[in-house]
Amino acid sequence: MALRVGVVGGGQLARMMIAPAVELGIEIEVLAEERGMAARLAAGSVGDYTDIATVLAFARDVDVVTFDHEHVPQQVLRTLVAEGVAVHPGPDALQFAQDKLLMRARLEELGMPQPDWASVSDAEQLQDFLDAHGGRAVVKTPRGGYDGKGVRVVDAATEAEDWFAALAEDARGGSLLVEEFVPFTRELAQQVARRASGEVRAYPVVETVQRDGVCAEVFAPAPRAGERLRDAAARIGIAIAEGLGVTGMLAVELFETTDDRILVNELAMRPHNSGHWTQDGAVTSQFEQHLRAVLDLPLGDPSPRQPWAVMVNILGGPAQGGLESRFASAMAAHPSVKLHTYGKAPRPGRKVGHVNATGDDLEDIVYDARAAAALFAD
Ligand code: ADP
C-alpha cells in the first residue's frame, strides 16, 4: 500500500511537496484553510487546524502528519501524539520554532552562537537592555511573527509601548524578546534534514537577501564562503537538528557579522524559502527530502548539481492578468530559467512564485533569473 503523508496547511510549501510525492508514488493529503493552491491539487480536506477533532480526523487517514507552517497549537499536536499519530516534526521540537523566547533559551543551553537577548515584560526592562547595548535593539513578539511582522528596531523603550500594552491586556500575560542589534554584513541560511532514526544531511550554506523583511533572492552556495564558514554553518545546523530532535527539514537563519562570526537568527522546521533553489539546483530537493525525512526513509544527496544556483522570488505579480499572462515572454526570453508559480492571486508584496537558474557563471545566472522574475512585475 502507498505511503501516505498528511500536510497541515495548504500554502505553497505544501503545494511544492506534491510534485516529488507524485514522482515517488507517495500519497499526499492536505488539510487546508481554504480551497486553492495545494488543496486544488492534492486530496484532503478544508478545515481549521486549531480544532482538535478536525486535525485528528484528518490524521486518521495518513501514516504521518507534517506541516506547511508552524501555527498548529501545541495542545493539538500533543493530542495527536497521545492518540498514536506519527507527527514530524513533533511538538517537543516544534515549540522552538513557534516561540522565539523558548528558542533563545534552548539555543543558549546548547551553546549555539546567537545575539545577546533578554525576555522583557515592561518598558523599564527594555530600557535597561537598551542602555546596556549601545542604545539600539531589536524587539520581537515571541509568537506569530513572519516576514518581518512582529520585529521592530527600537532606539527607545517608548517605541514598543503598544506591544507592552497588548501584553498587559492579554490574560495569559507574557514577555517580549529583545535582542542586541546585530551589525551583520549579510544573512545566510543553513538547511539540514534529519529523520527519526537519526540520519542527518546538511545542504550547503546559502546567502539570503531580504527586502522589507521578505526574502527576495538566494545564492547557493553562499558566495565568498570559505571552508571555515561552511563547516561552522553545517555544524550549527546539525547541532540544532540533533539537539532539538527535529525530524524533517530544518532551516537555520544566520547573520554573518562584521567581525566574521555567525549568529543564529531564527529557525523554521519545514521546507523554507531559502531552499527553493534545491528544486532545480540540488540532487535532492528540500521538498523530496522533507517527505523522506518525515517518513523515516533514507535521505537523498543534498549536493548541488551545478556550481551555482540562484533563486529570485516573484513578489506581487502583474497588476493586470495572472502570472500566466507573462509566461510566453518569460519562457521565450529565458528558456534556461525554471519558473515556479503557486496558483495565488497577485497582490503587492505577496510571494506568488519564484524562478531558479543554475550554471557555472554566477553573474550570468543572476542576470537571467532577475530578468525573468522582472517580467512578472509591473
Ligand atoms: P521573521 O520571523 O518575521 O522572519 P526575523 O526574526 O527573521 O523575523 O527578523 C526579520 C529580519 O529583521 C531579519 O531577517 C533581519 O534582517 C532583521 N533582524 C532580526 N533580528 C535582528 C537583530 N538582532 N539585529 C539586526 N537585525 C535583525
Side-chain angles (χ1 to χ4, degrees):
M1 213 172 90
L3 299 168
R4 298 161 307 173
V5 174
V7 185
V8 179
Q12 65 259 26
L13 301 177
R15 181 179 166 109
M16 288 187 272
M17 290 178 210
I18 296 172
V22 169
E23 287 171 359
L24 287 169
I26 292 169
E27 283 179 14
I28 192 160
E29 299 207 8
V30 172
L31 176 62
E33 299 87 88
E34 53 184 25
R35 291 219 72 74
M37 283 233 275
R40 207 162 42 220
L41 303 177
S45 46
V46 173
D48 179 2
Y49 60 78
T50 66
D51 181 65
I52 290 177
T54 302
V55 182
L56 256 182
F58 171 71
R60 296 267 175 251
D61 290 335
V62 296
D63 299 309
V64 56
V65 168
T66 190
F67 311 95
D68 151 288
H69 59 69
E70 279 121 5
H71 308 312
V72 180
Q74 279 286 318
Q75 200 195 349
V76 172
L77 300 171
R78 293 195 185 271
T79 305
L80 291 179
V81 172
E83 294 286 326
V85 176
V87 180
H88 293 294
D92 289 337
L94 205 53
Q95 61 181 338
F96 299 109
Q98 293 179 319
D99 187 311
K100 291 178 181 174
L101 273 170
L102 284 182
M103 174 195 76
R104 286 285 176 235
R106 185 75 184 107
L107 293 183
E108 191 163 298
E109 285 172 4
L110 291 174
M112 292 294 112
Q114 56 178 347
D116 271 352
W117 66 281
S119 166
V120 291
S121 45
D122 59 38
E124 203 175 316
Q125 291 176 352
L126 175 55
Q127 193 58 52
D128 287 346
F129 187 91
L130 280 164
D131 294 343
H133 292 86
R136 169 165 281 197
V138 182
V139 183
K140 301 184 178 183
T141 53
R143 307 180 71 88
Y146 65 97
D147 285 351
K149 296 173 186 66
V151 174
R152 199 182 278 173
V153 178
V154 302
D155 299 301
T158 47
E159 291 168 45
E161 247 162 20
D162 53 332
W163 283 359
F164 285 121
L167 285 184
E169 272 171 32
D170 189 335
R172 291 167 301 174
S175 305
L176 298 175
L177 168 64
V178 59
E179 296 173 0
E180 71 174 296
F181 181 84
V182 177
F184 60 82
T185 47
R186 57 176 176 167
E187 294 185 67
L188 304 170
Q190 174 66 54
Q191 288 193 298
V192 170
R194 181 174 176 275
R195 57 190 280 221
S197 50
E199 187 190 5
V200 290
R201 290 275 199 158
Y203 283 83
V205 65
V206 301
E207 177 175 342
T208 66
V209 178
Q210 262 65 238
R211 284 194 204 108
D212 300 325
V214 180
C215 177
E217 297 182 340
V218 172
F219 306 101
R224 303 177 310 282
E227 200 178 330
R228 194 192 62 85
L229 174 67
R230 295 197 305 269
D231 287 353
R235 267 203 313 276
I236 288 170
I238 290 169
I240 293 175
E242 291 179 337
L244 305 187
V246 179
T247 41
M249 285 298 304
L250 166 72
V252 182
E253 296 180 12
L254 299 160
F255 297 129
E256 187 176 12
T257 65
T258 43
D259 55 354
D260 279 344
R261 289 179 305 147
I262 48 177
L263 303 175
V264 177
N265 175 27
E266 68 163 346
L267 310 178
M269 295 178 195
R270 49 173 169 74
H272 188 251
N273 203 161
S274 65
H276 290 356
W277 69 274
T278 62
Q279 289 174 306
D280 304 299
V283 175
T284 311
S285 84
Q286 63 164 346
F287 299 102
E288 176 178 340
Q289 197 77 298
H290 189 71
L291 294 172
R292 291 183 185 220
V294 301
L295 285 163
D296 202 16
L297 290 168
L299 300 176
D301 182 353
S303 306
R305 290 174 182 272
Q306 296 266 354
W308 296 106
V310 59
M311 189 269 347
V312 178
N313 269 341
I314 301 172
L315 296 170
Q320 300 288 320
L323 292 167
E324 308 72 38
S325 66
R326 307 293 167 88
F327 274 179
S329 49
M331 288 171 179
H334 303 283
S336 60
V337 157
K338 306 302 284 186
L339 299 178
H340 299 263
T341 67
Y342 311 150
K344 278 172 155 177
R347 197 194 297 150
R350 193 177 201 202
K351 288 177 182 171
V352 291
H354 64 272
V355 305
N356 285 333
T358 61
D360 308 321
D361 187 304
L362 182 59
E363 253 177 69
D364 276 356
I365 63 167
V366 168
Y367 176 82
D368 222 16
R370 283 183 184 157
L375 289 171
F376 291 90
D378 274 316

